[in-house]
Amino acid sequence: MARPMTMTEKIFAAHAGLSEVVPGQLIKAKLDVVLGNDITAPPAIKEFEQMSDTVFDKDKIVLVPDHFTPNKDIKSAEMAKTVREFARRHNITHYFEVGRMGIEHVLLPEQGLVAPGEVIIGADSHTCTYGALGAFATGVGSTDMAAAMATGETWFKVPASIKVELTGRLSKWVSGKDVILKLIGMIGVDGARYQSLEFTGEGVASLSMTDRLTIANMAIEAGAKNGIFPVDDITKQYLARRVKKPYTPVAADTDAEYVRTVTINLDELTPVVALPHLPENVRPVSDIQPTPIHQVVIGSCTNGRIEDLGQAAAILEGRQVHQDVRAIIIPGSQDVYLEAVKLGYVETFIKAGAVVSTPTCGPCLGGHMGILAKGERAVATTNRNFRGRMGHVDSEVYLASPAVAAASAVLGRIAGPEEVA
Amino acid sequence: MKFSGKVWRYGDNVDTDVIIPARYLNTADMRELAVHAMEDIDPTFAGNVRQGDIIVAGKNFGCGSSREHAPGALKAAGIVCVVAESFARIFYRNAINIGLPLIELGEGDINIKAGDTLAVDLDAGTLENVSTGETFAVPPLPGFIQEIARSGGLVNYTRQLLAAKGGNHE
């Protein structure tokens, strides 16, 4: 009988054709999805062409131009063109053109392209988002993407796992973003380096799929290789309307080995903020001195789903964005955007004095659609607040949930939702 | 593999956004990117780095994005090796794949200063700070990674793999 294994170990064993794997072992695993975007795919395509004439499977490669699209300048238009032409040349099934696209990590789960038990690599560090669905998913670079497009497999070192035990339930105005920021604050930006974060405990059942996607998205911000959630009724309900391909969910063995256990009681959690310039600088919003802000960004692969926009709309409804603040709201996909229109959120945002953009990674990585000038300060639902991340090297990004970001937009300073709503 | 070079010294958590800011990523030309390497934490780097220089840093070097442009820009700027207490995993993998040697020394104070000269012998597994005479043991790379390194990076490694399988390009 095989040794007791974690979810990640089981998925790796199955994809490497082995009965068991152990942490530290180097394996070659078959890939179910290989993803790239308009920044990382062009160099991957160049390298791919040195290796192969044909892709391993036109249905398993996903290409999403989302970072600098709609193209912000001629150079980024050339990069997007490279991706578009490659997709046509190789008849790639899942290429998403502007107008039908979304921010990749919002889009792929929504379109049913990722499923439990799968092994997924993407040339984008937030590929770990799909762990919310019980898949092994991790970010890689362009050369890895290139080789994977040619061969359909890649090598991995099997990571040791940290068990993140969630107890209790989230209170009103506390969400997945607060859970993951709390965890990163506890273990640090390299606290899970080379390791897997496996979320478990009775608290998981109280987390929506949106909460889980946000949490898994930021596993990389603790240095983790992947973050992964059990497949439960909430997962199955989410998948039912979406995933059409066959898949095999896995569950961790009850006696699987973990390098450490971290417990978070969701009952005790309050809204938090990560201060510049590291996601580990986490404080409760209530502990922060009055801090005036210039910009709010609500969106990104971390918090660009419809429930995220719903939280923001609930706070902005009938209120005004502070006169000193630019509030930028970016639905994560065309479907999210349409839903936000139907639910009246877009009208709420516009009436409040916010701008609503088509889906793009835009300001999150300092690309376009909301770059900060010297000395400016933003509250953003994005995932990184590194120095210069959203613009000038002397600007500051505070990471928070959509509820905190919306409340801050109204008050013109970092604020908790209970101060407004 | 042997080389020696002058040290650029940095601290903990040097992230990919400062190694090569995203605002420049509308090109994948590494020589063009090299001009902006490290500029958000060290505006003196790009103008003064010389071919053969070495970066020495603290823990979690390369955290953040999966952009291969980060090790790519450093390599194009002339950096031949990065020595750190520890590396973020995607950066580590990317550097191996493009043939930029990394040395992970383990966490603790590294007595190497900016401007020191290092002599590295990867085959012998040694790193000498020529300026102080201090030597460090360099742990050998694990199996697959040595194979990739021996092939000259992942592109060559994969070409060989595909050829062995009767692949389509050879």
Coordinates of all heavy atoms in Angstrom, one line a residue, chain A residues 157-247:
Chain A
K157 N 9.8 19.2 -8.5 CA 10.3 18.6 -7.2 C 9.0 18.6 -6.4 O 8.3 19.5 -6.2 CB 11.3 19.6 -6.6 CG 12.0 19.0 -5.4 CD 13.4 19.7 -5.3 CE 13.6 20.1 -3.9 NZ 14.8 20.9 -3.7
V158 N 8.8 17.4 -5.8 CA 7.6 17.2 -5.0 C 7.7 18.1 -3.7 O 8.7 17.9 -3.0 CB 7.4 15.7 -4.6 CG1 6.1 15.6 -3.7 CG2 7.2 14.9 -5.8
P159 N 6.8 19.0 -3.5 CA 7.0 19.9 -2.3 C 6.5 19.2 -1.0 O 5.6 18.4 -1.0 CB 6.1 21.1 -2.6 CG 5.0 20.5 -3.5 CD 5.6 19.4 -4.3
A160 N 7.1 19.6 0.1 CA 6.5 19.3 1.4 C 5.3 20.2 1.6 O 5.2 21.2 0.9 CB 7.5 19.5 2.5
S161 N 4.4 19.8 2.4 CA 3.2 20.6 2.6 C 3.0 21.2 4.0 O 3.3 20.6 5.0 CB 1.9 19.8 2.2 OG 2.0 19.4 0.9
I162 N 2.4 22.4 4.0 CA 2.0 23.0 5.3 C 0.5 22.9 5.3 O -0.2 23.2 4.4 CB 2.4 24.5 5.3 CG1 3.9 24.7 5.2 CG2 1.8 25.2 6.5 CD1 4.4 26.2 5.0
K163 N 0.0 22.4 6.5 CA -1.4 22.3 6.6 C -2.0 23.6 7.2 O -1.5 24.1 8.3 CB -1.8 21.2 7.6 CG -3.3 20.9 7.8 CD -3.6 20.0 8.9 CE -3.7 18.6 8.5 NZ -4.2 17.7 9.5
V164 N -2.9 24.2 6.5 CA -3.5 25.5 7.0 C -4.9 25.1 7.5 O -5.8 24.8 6.7 CB -3.6 26.6 6.0 CG1 -4.1 27.9 6.6 CG2 -2.2 26.9 5.4
E165 N -5.1 25.0 8.8 CA -6.3 24.6 9.4 C -7.2 25.8 9.6 O -6.9 26.7 10.4 CB -6.0 23.9 10.7 CG -7.1 23.3 11.5 CD -7.2 21.8 11.3 OE1 -6.2 21.1 11.2 OE2 -8.3 21.3 11.1
L166 N -8.4 25.8 9.0 CA -9.3 26.9 9.2 C -10.5 26.5 10.1 O -11.1 25.5 9.8 CB -9.8 27.4 7.8 CG -8.8 27.8 6.8 CD1 -9.4 28.1 5.4 CD2 -8.0 29.0 7.3
T167 N -10.7 27.3 11.1 CA -11.9 27.0 12.0 C -12.8 28.2 12.0 O -12.4 29.3 11.5 CB -11.4 26.7 13.4 OG1 -10.8 27.9 13.9 CG2 -10.3 25.6 13.5
G168 N -14.0 28.0 12.5 CA -15.0 29.1 12.6 C -15.6 29.5 11.2 O -15.5 28.8 10.2
R169 N -16.1 30.7 11.2 CA -16.7 31.2 10.0 C -16.4 32.7 9.9 O -16.2 33.4 10.9 CB -18.3 31.2 10.0 CG -18.9 29.9 10.4 CD -20.5 30.1 10.4 NE -21.0 30.6 9.1 CZ -21.3 29.7 8.1 NH1 -21.1 28.4 8.2 NH2 -21.7 30.2 7.0
L170 N -16.4 33.2 8.6 CA -16.1 34.6 8.4 C -17.3 35.5 8.9 O -18.4 35.1 8.7 CB -15.8 34.9 7.0 CG -14.5 34.3 6.4 CD1 -14.5 34.5 4.9 CD2 -13.3 34.8 7.1
S171 N -17.0 36.7 9.5 CA -18.0 37.6 9.8 C -18.3 38.5 8.6 O -17.6 38.5 7.6 CB -17.5 38.6 10.9 OG -16.8 37.8 11.9
K172 N -19.4 39.3 8.7 CA -19.7 40.2 7.7 C -18.6 41.1 7.4 O -17.9 41.6 8.3 CB -21.0 41.0 8.1 CG -21.6 41.9 7.0 CD -22.9 42.5 7.5 CE -23.4 43.6 6.6 NZ -23.8 43.2 5.3
W173 N -18.3 41.5 6.1 CA -17.3 42.3 5.7 C -15.9 41.7 5.8 O -14.9 42.4 5.6 CB -17.3 43.7 6.3 CG -18.5 44.5 6.2 CD1 -19.3 45.0 7.2 CD2 -19.2 44.8 4.9 NE1 -20.4 45.6 6.6 CE2 -20.4 45.5 5.3 CE3 -18.9 44.6 3.6 CZ2 -21.2 46.0 4.3 CZ3 -19.8 45.1 2.6 CH2 -20.9 45.8 3.0
V174 N -15.8 40.5 6.2 CA -14.5 39.8 6.2 C -14.5 38.7 5.1 O -15.5 38.0 5.0 CB -14.2 39.2 7.6 CG1 -12.8 38.6 7.6 CG2 -14.4 40.2 8.7
S175 N -13.5 38.7 4.3 CA -13.5 37.8 3.1 C -12.2 37.0 2.9 O -11.3 37.1 3.7 CB -13.9 38.6 1.9 OG -12.8 39.5 1.6
G176 N -12.2 36.3 1.8 CA -11.0 35.5 1.5 C -9.7 36.3 1.5 O -8.6 35.8 1.9
K177 N -9.8 37.5 1.1 CA -8.6 38.4 1.0 C -8.0 38.6 2.4 O -6.8 38.6 2.6 CB -8.9 39.7 0.4 CG -7.8 40.7 0.2 CD -6.7 40.0 -0.7 CE -5.8 41.0 -1.5 NZ -6.5 41.6 -2.6
D178 N -8.9 38.7 3.4 CA -8.4 38.9 4.8 C -7.8 37.6 5.3 O -6.8 37.7 6.1 CB -9.6 39.3 5.7 CG -10.2 40.6 5.2 OD1 -9.5 41.7 5.2 OD2 -11.4 40.6 4.8
V179 N -8.3 36.5 4.9 CA -7.7 35.2 5.3 C -6.3 35.0 4.8 O -5.4 34.7 5.5 CB -8.6 34.0 4.8 CG1 -8.0 32.7 5.2 CG2 -10.0 34.1 5.3
I180 N -6.1 35.3 3.5 CA -4.8 35.0 2.9 C -3.8 36.1 3.4 O -2.6 35.8 3.7 CB -4.8 34.9 1.4 CG1 -3.5 34.5 0.8 CG2 -5.3 36.2 0.7 CD1 -3.0 33.1 1.3
L181 N -4.3 37.3 3.5 CA -3.3 38.4 4.1 C -2.9 38.0 5.5 O -1.7 38.1 5.9 CB -3.9 39.8 4.0 CG -4.1 40.4 2.6 CD1 -4.8 41.7 2.7 CD2 -2.7 40.5 1.9
K182 N -3.9 37.6 6.3 CA -3.6 37.1 7.7 C -2.5 36.0 7.7 O -1.6 36.1 8.4 CB -4.9 36.6 8.3 CG -4.7 36.0 9.7 CD -4.5 37.1 10.8 CE -4.3 36.5 12.1 NZ -4.0 37.5 13.1
L183 N -2.7 35.0 6.8 CA -1.8 33.9 6.7 C -0.4 34.4 6.3 O 0.6 34.0 6.9 CB -2.3 32.9 5.7 CG -1.3 31.7 5.5 CD1 -1.1 30.9 6.8 CD2 -1.9 30.8 4.4
I184 N -0.3 35.3 5.3 CA 1.0 35.8 4.8 C 1.7 36.6 6.0 O 2.9 36.5 6.2 CB 0.9 36.6 3.5 CG1 0.3 35.7 2.4 CG2 2.2 37.2 3.1 CD1 -0.2 36.5 1.2
G185 N 0.8 37.3 6.7 CA 1.4 38.1 7.8 C 1.9 37.2 8.9 O 2.9 37.5 9.6
M186 N 1.3 36.0 9.0 CA 1.8 35.1 10.1 C 3.1 34.3 9.7 O 4.0 34.2 10.5 CB 0.7 34.0 10.3 CG -0.5 34.5 11.1 SD -1.9 33.3 11.0 CE -1.5 32.1 12.2
I187 N 3.1 33.9 8.4 CA 4.3 33.0 8.0 C 5.3 33.8 7.2 O 6.4 33.3 7.0 CB 3.8 31.7 7.3 CG1 3.3 32.0 5.9 CG2 2.8 31.0 8.1 CD1 2.9 30.8 5.1
G188 N 5.0 35.0 6.7 CA 6.0 35.8 5.9 C 6.0 35.4 4.4 O 5.4 34.4 4.0
V189 N 6.6 36.4 3.7 CA 6.6 36.2 2.2 C 7.5 35.0 1.7 O 7.4 34.7 0.5 CB 7.0 37.5 1.5 CG1 6.0 38.6 1.6 CG2 8.4 38.0 1.9
D190 N 8.3 34.5 2.6 CA 8.9 33.2 2.2 C 8.6 32.1 3.1 O 9.3 31.1 3.1 CB 10.5 33.4 2.0 CG 11.1 33.6 3.4 OD1 10.5 33.9 4.4 OD2 12.4 33.4 3.4
G191 N 7.5 32.2 3.8 CA 7.2 31.2 4.9 C 6.8 29.9 4.3 O 6.9 28.8 5.0
A192 N 6.4 29.8 3.0 CA 6.0 28.6 2.4 C 6.9 28.3 1.2 O 6.6 27.5 0.3 CB 4.6 28.6 2.0
R193 N 8.1 28.9 1.2 CA 9.0 28.8 0.0 C 9.3 27.3 -0.3 O 9.6 26.5 0.6 CB 10.3 29.5 0.2 CG 11.0 29.9 -1.0 CD 12.1 31.0 -0.7 NE 12.7 30.8 0.7 CZ 13.6 29.9 0.9 NH1 14.1 29.2 0.0 NH2 14.0 29.8 2.2
Y194 N 9.1 26.9 -1.6 CA 9.3 25.5 -2.1 C 8.3 24.6 -1.5 O 8.4 23.4 -1.7 CB 10.7 25.0 -1.8 CG 11.9 25.8 -2.3 CD1 13.1 25.9 -1.6 CD2 11.8 26.4 -3.6 CE1 14.1 26.7 -2.1 CE2 12.9 27.1 -4.1 CZ 14.0 27.3 -3.3 OH 15.1 28.0 -3.8
Q195 N 7.2 25.1 -0.9 CA 6.3 24.2 -0.2 C 4.9 24.4 -0.8 O 4.6 25.4 -1.5 CB 6.3 24.4 1.3 CG 7.7 24.0 1.9 CD 7.8 24.3 3.4 OE1 7.1 25.1 3.9 NE2 8.7 23.5 4.0
S196 N 4.0 23.5 -0.4 CA 2.6 23.6 -0.8 C 1.8 24.0 0.5 O 2.1 23.6 1.6 CB 2.1 22.2 -1.2 OG 0.7 22.1 -1.3
L197 N 0.8 24.8 0.2 CA -0.2 25.2 1.3 C -1.4 24.4 1.1 O -2.1 24.6 0.1 CB -0.5 26.7 1.2 CG 0.6 27.7 1.6 CD1 0.2 29.1 1.3 CD2 0.9 27.6 3.1
E198 N -1.8 23.5 2.0 CA -3.0 22.7 1.9 C -4.0 23.2 2.9 O -3.8 23.1 4.1 CB -2.7 21.3 2.1 CG -3.8 20.4 1.7 CD -3.4 18.9 1.4 OE1 -2.4 18.7 0.6 OE2 -4.0 18.0 1.9
F199 N -5.1 23.8 2.4 CA -6.1 24.4 3.3 C -7.1 23.3 3.7 O -7.5 22.5 2.9 CB -6.9 25.5 2.6 CG -5.9 26.7 2.3 CD1 -5.2 26.7 1.1 CD2 -5.8 27.7 3.2 CE1 -4.3 27.8 0.9 CE2 -4.9 28.7 3.0 CZ -4.2 28.8 1.8
T200 N -7.5 23.3 5.0 CA -8.3 22.2 5.5 C -9.1 22.7 6.7 O -8.9 23.9 7.1 CB -7.5 21.0 5.8 OG1 -8.3 19.9 6.2 CG2 -6.4 21.2 6.8
G201 N -9.9 21.9 7.3 CA -10.6 22.2 8.5 C -12.1 22.6 8.2 O -12.4 22.9 7.1
E202 N -12.8 22.7 9.3 CA -14.3 22.9 9.1 C -14.6 24.3 8.6 O -15.6 24.5 8.0 CB -15.1 22.6 10.4 CG -14.3 23.1 11.7 CD -14.9 24.3 12.3 OE1 -16.0 24.8 11.9 OE2 -14.3 24.8 13.3
G203 N -13.6 25.2 8.7 CA -13.8 26.6 8.2 C -13.9 26.7 6.7 O -14.5 27.6 6.2
V204 N -13.4 25.7 6.0 CA -13.4 25.7 4.6 C -14.8 25.7 4.0 O -15.1 26.4 3.1 CB -12.6 24.5 4.0 CG1 -12.8 24.3 2.5 CG2 -11.1 24.6 4.3
A205 N -15.7 25.0 4.7 CA -17.1 24.9 4.2 C -17.8 26.2 4.2 O -18.7 26.4 3.4 CB -17.8 23.9 5.1
S206 N -17.3 27.1 5.0 CA -18.0 28.5 5.0 C -17.4 29.4 4.0 O -17.8 30.6 3.9 CB -17.8 29.1 6.4 OG -16.5 29.5 6.6
L207 N -16.4 29.0 3.2 CA -15.7 29.9 2.3 C -16.4 29.7 0.9 O -16.5 28.5 0.4 CB -14.2 29.6 2.2 CG -13.4 29.8 3.4 CD1 -12.0 29.4 3.2 CD2 -13.5 31.3 3.9
S208 N -16.8 30.7 0.3 CA -17.3 30.7 -1.1 C -16.2 30.3 -2.1 O -15.0 30.4 -1.7 CB -17.9 32.0 -1.5 OG -16.9 33.0 -1.6
M209 N -16.6 30.0 -3.3 CA -15.5 29.7 -4.3 C -14.7 31.0 -4.6 O -13.5 30.9 -4.8 CB -16.2 29.2 -5.6 CG -15.1 28.6 -6.6 SD -13.9 27.5 -5.9 CE -14.9 26.1 -5.4
T210 N -15.4 32.1 -4.5 CA -14.6 33.4 -4.7 C -13.6 33.6 -3.6 O -12.4 33.9 -3.9 CB -15.6 34.6 -4.7 OG1 -16.4 34.5 -5.9 CG2 -14.9 35.9 -4.7
D211 N -14.0 33.3 -2.4 CA -13.0 33.4 -1.3 C -11.8 32.4 -1.5 O -10.6 32.8 -1.3 CB -13.6 33.0 0.1 CG -14.6 34.0 0.6 OD1 -14.4 35.2 0.4 OD2 -15.6 33.6 1.2
R212 N -12.1 31.2 -1.9 CA -11.1 30.2 -2.1 C -10.1 30.6 -3.3 O -8.9 30.4 -3.2 CB -11.7 28.9 -2.4 CG -12.5 28.3 -1.3 CD -13.2 27.0 -1.6 NE -14.3 26.7 -0.7 CZ -14.9 25.6 -0.5 NH1 -14.5 24.6 -1.3 NH2 -15.8 25.4 0.4
L213 N -10.7 31.1 -4.4 CA -9.9 31.5 -5.5 C -9.0 32.7 -5.1 O -7.8 32.7 -5.5 CB -10.8 32.0 -6.7 CG -11.5 30.8 -7.4 CD1 -12.7 31.3 -8.2 CD2 -10.6 30.0 -8.3
T214 N -9.4 33.6 -4.3 CA -8.6 34.7 -3.8 C -7.5 34.2 -2.9 O -6.3 34.6 -3.0 CB -9.5 35.7 -3.0 OG1 -10.5 36.2 -3.8 CG2 -8.7 36.9 -2.5
I215 N -7.8 33.2 -2.1 CA -6.8 32.7 -1.1 C -5.7 31.9 -1.9 O -4.5 32.2 -1.7 CB -7.5 31.8 -0.1 CG1 -8.4 32.6 0.8 CG2 -6.4 31.0 0.7 CD1 -9.3 31.8 1.7
A216 N -6.2 31.0 -2.8 CA -5.2 30.2 -3.6 C -4.3 31.2 -4.5 O -3.1 30.9 -4.6 CB -5.9 29.2 -4.4
N217 N -4.9 32.2 -5.0 CA -4.3 33.2 -5.9 C -3.0 33.7 -5.2 O -2.0 33.9 -5.9 CB -5.2 34.3 -6.2 CG -4.6 35.4 -7.0 OD1 -4.0 36.3 -6.4 ND2 -4.7 35.4 -8.3
M218 N -3.1 34.0 -3.9 CA -2.0 34.6 -3.2 C -1.1 33.7 -2.5 O -0.2 34.1 -1.7 CB -2.5 35.8 -2.3 CG -3.0 37.0 -3.1 SD -3.5 38.4 -2.1 CE -1.9 38.9 -1.5
A219 N -1.2 32.4 -2.7 CA -0.3 31.4 -2.1 C 1.2 31.8 -2.5 O 2.1 31.7 -1.7 CB -0.6 30.0 -2.6
I220 N 1.4 32.2 -3.7 CA 2.7 32.6 -4.2 C 3.3 33.7 -3.4 O 4.5 33.9 -3.2 CB 2.7 33.0 -5.7 CG1 4.0 33.4 -6.3 CG2 1.7 34.1 -6.0 CD1 5.1 32.4 -6.4
E221 N 2.4 34.6 -2.8 CA 2.9 35.7 -2.0 C 3.5 35.2 -0.7 O 4.1 36.0 0.0 CB 1.7 36.7 -1.8 CG 1.7 37.8 -2.8 CD 1.9 37.5 -4.2 OE1 1.0 37.2 -5.0 OE2 3.1 37.7 -4.6
A222 N 3.2 34.0 -0.3 CA 3.9 33.4 0.8 C 5.1 32.5 0.3 O 5.7 31.8 1.1 CB 3.0 32.5 1.7
G223 N 5.4 32.6 -1.0 CA 6.5 31.9 -1.5 C 6.1 30.4 -1.9 O 6.9 29.7 -2.4
A224 N 4.8 30.1 -1.7 CA 4.4 28.7 -2.0 C 4.5 28.3 -3.4 O 4.3 29.1 -4.3 CB 3.0 28.4 -1.4
K225 N 4.7 27.0 -3.6 CA 4.6 26.4 -5.0 C 3.2 26.4 -5.4 O 2.9 26.7 -6.6 CB 5.2 25.0 -4.9 CG 5.4 24.4 -6.3 CD 6.2 23.1 -6.1 CE 6.8 22.6 -7.4 NZ 8.0 21.9 -7.2
N226 N 2.3 26.0 -4.5 CA 0.9 25.9 -4.8 C 0.1 26.1 -3.5 O 0.6 25.8 -2.4 CB 0.5 24.6 -5.6 CG 0.6 23.4 -4.7 OD1 1.6 23.3 -3.9 ND2 -0.3 22.5 -4.7
G227 N -1.2 26.4 -3.7 CA -2.1 26.3 -2.6 C -3.2 25.5 -3.0 O -3.6 25.5 -4.2
I228 N -3.8 24.7 -2.2 CA -4.8 23.7 -2.6 C -5.9 23.5 -1.6 O -5.7 23.5 -0.4 CB -4.2 22.4 -3.1 CG1 -5.1 21.5 -3.9 CG2 -3.6 21.6 -1.9 CD1 -4.5 20.4 -4.7
F229 N -7.2 23.4 -2.1 CA -8.4 23.2 -1.3 C -9.0 21.9 -1.5 O -8.9 21.4 -2.7 CB -9.4 24.3 -1.6 CG -9.2 25.6 -0.9 CD1 -8.3 26.6 -1.5 CD2 -9.8 25.9 0.3 CE1 -8.1 27.8 -0.8 CE2 -9.6 27.1 0.9 CZ -8.8 28.1 0.4
P230 N -9.6 21.3 -0.5 CA -10.4 20.1 -0.7 C -11.6 20.3 -1.7 O -12.1 21.4 -1.9 CB -10.9 19.7 0.7 CG -10.8 20.9 1.5 CD -9.7 21.8 0.9
V231 N -11.9 19.2 -2.4 CA -13.1 19.3 -3.3 C -14.3 18.9 -2.5 O -14.5 17.8 -2.0 CB -12.9 18.3 -4.5 CG1 -14.1 18.3 -5.4 CG2 -11.6 18.7 -5.2
D232 N -15.2 19.9 -2.3 CA -16.4 19.6 -1.5 C -17.7 20.0 -2.3 O -17.6 20.2 -3.5 CB -16.3 20.4 -0.1 CG -16.3 21.9 -0.3 OD1 -16.5 22.4 -1.4 OD2 -16.1 22.6 0.7
D233 N -18.8 20.1 -1.6 CA -20.1 20.4 -2.3 C -20.0 21.8 -3.0 O -20.6 22.0 -4.0 CB -21.2 20.4 -1.3 CG -21.5 19.0 -0.8 OD1 -21.0 18.0 -1.5 OD2 -22.2 18.8 0.2
I234 N -19.3 22.7 -2.3 CA -19.2 24.1 -2.9 C -18.4 24.0 -4.2 O -18.8 24.6 -5.3 CB -18.6 25.1 -1.9 CG1 -19.6 25.4 -0.8 CG2 -18.1 26.4 -2.6 CD1 -19.1 26.2 0.3
T235 N -17.4 23.2 -4.2 CA -16.6 23.0 -5.5 C -17.4 22.4 -6.5 O -17.5 22.8 -7.7 CB -15.4 22.1 -5.2 OG1 -14.9 22.3 -3.9 CG2 -14.3 22.3 -6.2
K236 N -18.1 21.3 -6.1 CA -18.9 20.5 -7.1 C -20.0 21.4 -7.7 O -20.3 21.3 -8.9 CB -19.5 19.3 -6.5 CG -18.4 18.2 -6.2 CD -18.9 17.0 -5.5 CE -17.8 16.1 -5.1 NZ -18.1 15.3 -3.9
Q237 N -20.6 22.2 -6.9 CA -21.7 23.1 -7.4 C -21.1 24.1 -8.4 O -21.7 24.4 -9.4 CB -22.2 23.9 -6.2 CG -23.6 24.3 -6.3 CD -24.0 25.1 -5.0 OE1 -23.4 25.0 -4.0 NE2 -25.0 25.9 -5.2
Y238 N -19.9 24.6 -8.1 CA -19.2 25.6 -9.0 C -18.9 24.9 -10.3 O -19.1 25.5 -11.4 CB -18.0 26.1 -8.3 CG -17.2 27.1 -9.2 CD1 -17.6 28.5 -9.1 CD2 -16.2 26.7 -10.0 CE1 -16.9 29.4 -9.9 CE2 -15.5 27.7 -10.8 CZ -15.8 29.0 -10.7 OH -15.2 29.9 -11.5
L239 N -18.4 23.7 -10.2 CA -17.9 23.0 -11.4 C -19.1 22.5 -12.3 O -19.0 22.4 -13.5 CB -17.1 21.7 -11.0 CG -15.8 22.0 -10.3 CD1 -15.3 20.7 -9.7 CD2 -14.8 22.6 -11.2
A240 N -20.2 22.2 -11.7 CA -21.4 21.6 -12.4 C -21.8 22.3 -13.6 O -22.1 21.8 -14.7 CB -22.5 21.4 -11.4
R241 N -21.8 23.6 -13.5 CA -22.3 24.4 -14.7 C -21.1 24.7 -15.7 O -21.3 25.3 -16.7 CB -22.8 25.8 -14.2 CG -24.1 25.6 -13.4 CD -24.5 27.0 -12.8 NE -23.6 27.4 -11.7 CZ -23.0 28.6 -11.6 NH1 -23.1 29.5 -12.5 NH2 -22.2 28.9 -10.5
R242 N -19.9 24.2 -15.4 CA -18.8 24.7 -16.2 C -17.9 23.6 -16.8 O -17.7 23.6 -18.0 CB -17.9 25.5 -15.3 CG -18.5 26.8 -14.8 CD -17.5 27.6 -14.0 NE -18.0 29.0 -13.9 CZ -18.8 29.4 -12.9 NH1 -19.2 28.5 -11.9 NH2 -19.3 30.6 -12.8
V243 N -17.4 22.7 -16.0 CA -16.4 21.8 -16.5 C -17.1 20.6 -17.3 O -17.9 19.9 -16.7 CB -15.5 21.2 -15.4 CG1 -14.5 20.2 -15.9 CG2 -14.7 22.3 -14.7
K244 N -16.7 20.5 -18.5 CA -17.3 19.4 -19.3 C -16.4 18.2 -19.5 O -16.9 17.1 -19.9 CB -17.7 20.0 -20.7 CG -18.8 21.1 -20.5 CD -19.3 21.7 -21.8 CE -20.4 22.7 -21.5 NZ -19.8 24.0 -21.0
K245 N -15.1 18.4 -19.3 CA -14.2 17.2 -19.5 C -14.2 16.3 -18.3 O -14.5 16.8 -17.2 CB -12.8 17.8 -19.7 CG -12.2 18.7 -18.6 CD -10.9 19.3 -19.0 CE -10.5 20.4 -18.1 NZ -9.2 21.0 -18.4
P246 N -13.8 15.1 -18.4 CA -13.8 14.2 -17.3 C -12.6 14.5 -16.4 O -11.6 15.0 -16.9 CB -13.5 12.8 -17.9 CG -13.0 13.1 -19.3 CD -13.4 14.4 -19.7
Y247 N -12.7 14.3 -15.1 CA -11.6 14.6 -14.2 C -11.8 13.7 -12.9 O -12.8 13.1 -12.7 CB -11.7 16.1 -13.7 CG -12.9 16.5 -13.1 CD1 -13.1 16.4 -11.7 CD2 -14.0 17.1 -13.8 CE1 -14.3 16.8 -11.1 CE2 -15.1 17.5 -13.2 CZ -15.3 17.4 -11.8 OH -16.4 17.8 -11.2

